[in-house]
Amino acid sequence: MPDDWVARLAVAGTPEEARARLAGLRAAGVTDTILAPTVPDPVGALESLATVLNA
């Protein structure tokens, strides 16, 4: 996947960066998102995501 696609489509980075990215998407009018971890431990990634979203 080209880097510019990742920059435009992904929610990635530190917890603060992920929260900011999601906030930016909401501000742009996004009402639904699908977040699919692409790491060896998807359950762990989802637990980390829950921490980010609940902070």
Side-chain angles (χ1 to χ4, degrees):
M1 183 178 290
D3 289 344
D4 64 320
W5 288 17
V6 174
R8 286 189 282 163
L9 302 174
V11 175
T14 66
E16 294 78 19
E17 291 168 334
R19 278 193 291 276
R21 176 74 173 126
L22 290 168
L25 291 170
R26 282 190 300 275
V30 173
T31 58
D32 298 294
T33 55
I34 298 171
L35 303 172
T38 58
V39 294
D41 179 16
V43 173
L46 288 173
E47 289 170 348
S48 293
L49 178 62
T51 300
V52 167
L53 295 178
N54 290 322

